[in-house]
Amino acid sequence: LRSESSPISDAISKATDSMLMNTDWSANLEICDLINSSPDGSVTASQTLRRRLKNDNMRVLTLTLELTDACIKNCSSDMHSAVASKEFMGDVVALTDGKQGWEVREQALKLIQAWAIEFKDRSGPFVVFTETYVQLKTKGVTFPDPEHTAPVFMEEPPSSQAAEPVEPTDPTMKLAQDLSVVAEKIKLCREMLPESSGIETDDALAEVVGFLEACKPRMVDLIECGMQGMLGEDLVSQTLQVNDDLLKTLEAEKNGTPLPVETKTPIDS
């Protein structure tokens, strides 16, 4: 793999530096924007990420895996295809042998499983995600319990003290539930903004903003589905309202202008 300096490769190296104590979500999202806006962004990013995945430092590896997942969630199909190569996935699989530590192994397995579920209905290069997962399962590798069987948005794991929610079997119910989660996060973000110094120093706010940023491309997909008549009228209306609240909230965070806490979107599913 060539090691050439570029804004994307430099940003990736900085965001996965071993000295970082916490994941820099704002930096990760900026990297996704750089990738999406550059004609060769996915190629440069995948090459740099692969180099970082060969690092011996556990912190570098965990940060690189997190950044790779952020790219999967926020970048275009070009980046998805770059990750869905046998070479890239081979680098991720290499981390599951446990030699780099339990945390790295579990994180790699979790992402392999999540990507296989996320792209299970996609053809072409994306079958590598499923093939990788199946090959490891065939070898007897034990994967962590998936948080969601068909995720639409990233969600925080439930509290250990909370009752385990029953996963709805109706896709429409699941979607409505996911939209309610996003609406709750929007409300939380608006509550935090007036009291926060910003995502650069406020890890809690950065985590919420990172969640909302990751929801943006999924909201676009849902709106497109609605415009094609694949969603009911009520669900389309709720999706449009959640998306509007989402964009206004992220813009307010960026500009430092607080918004009313209450949104127009009902959060009762």
Side-chain angles (χ1 to χ4, degrees):
L1 295 175
R2 293 180 300 171
S3 179
E4 297 180 357
S5 178
S6 73
I8 291 177
S9 62
D10 291 346
I12 290 175
S13 296
K14 184 177 179 180
T16 58
D17 190 276
S18 62
M19 299 303 293
L20 286 178
M21 297 300 294
N22 299 298
T23 302
D24 190 338
W25 292 110
S26 60
N28 284 359
L29 294 171
E30 288 175 3
I31 289 169
C32 292
D33 289 339
L34 283 174
I35 295 171
N36 289 333
S37 61
S38 172
D40 300 321
S42 59
V43 175
T44 302
S46 62
Q47 290 176 344
T48 307
L49 288 169
R50 286 191 63 198
R51 285 196 297 271
R52 302 300 281 171
L53 288 174
K54 297 179 186 299
N55 197 286
D56 292 330
N57 185 281
M58 185 177 72
R59 188 61 185 149
V60 171
L61 294 173
T62 56
L63 289 171
T64 302
L65 287 170
E66 287 179 349
L67 176 54
T68 302
D69 192 42
C71 291
I72 288 289
K73 290 182 168 71
N74 294 282
C75 293
S76 68
S77 58
D78 287 342
M79 188 63 199
H80 300 165
S81 298
V83 176
S85 68
K86 292 185 178 180
E87 294 78 15
F88 197 111
M89 290 304 294
D91 291 337
V92 178
V93 170
L95 300 177
T96 66
D97 61 9
K99 294 181 179 179
Q100 300 295 343
W102 179 87
E103 182 180 353
V104 172
R105 179 182 186 276
E106 288 298 294
Q107 189 175 7
L109 288 173
K110 180 180 178 181
L111 292 182
I112 290 170
Q113 179 175 243
W115 297 338
I117 294 173
E118 186 77 17
F119 292 89
K120 63 184 176 63
D121 296 324
R122 302 282 294 276
S123 57
F126 305 114
V127 298
V128 172
F129 288 127
T130 304
E131 289 175 351
T132 302
Y133 175 67
V134 171
Q135 288 170 1
L136 290 175
K137 289 281 286 186
T138 303
K139 293 179 181 179
V141 174
T142 301
F143 285 83
D145 292 333
E147 294 178 7
H148 298 283
T149 55
V152 178
F153 303 106
M154 292 191 304
E155 296 183 28
E156 295 177 346
S159 168
S160 59
Q161 298 179 349
E164 189 71 21
V166 177
E167 191 75 15
T169 56
D170 183 352
T172 301
M173 290 176 59
K174 176 66 169 67
L175 179 54
Q177 185 182 76
D178 287 337
L179 287 172
S180 294
V181 170
V182 180
E184 289 171 354
K185 292 291 186 182
I186 291 171
K187 181 180 179 181
L188 175 61
C189 186
R190 292 187 178 191
E191 290 174 344
M192 297 173 72
L193 285 177
E195 308 297 329
S196 176
S197 57
I199 59 176
E200 291 79 10
T201 56
D202 188 337
D203 290 341
L205 178 63
E207 184 174 348
V208 175
V209 171
F211 174 93
L212 295 178
E213 287 282 1
C215 291
K216 285 169 60 178
R218 286 160 174 74
M219 295 301 301
V220 173
D221 291 341
L222 289 176
I223 291 172
E224 290 179 354
C225 289
M227 296 302 100
Q228 295 172 11
M230 299 171 65
L231 303 177
E233 184 176 342
D234 290 343
L235 205 51
V236 171
S237 177
Q238 186 180 4
T239 300
L240 290 171
Q241 186 60 62
V242 170
N243 186 63
D244 184 58
D245 290 337
L246 172 66
L247 296 178
K248 287 180 179 178
T249 301
L250 290 174
E251 185 67 20
E253 185 280 323
K254 183 178 180 180
N255 297 330
T257 54
L259 289 171
V261 172
E262 293 300 327
T263 66
K264 297 179 181 179
T265 306
I267 61 175
D268 295 327
S269 55

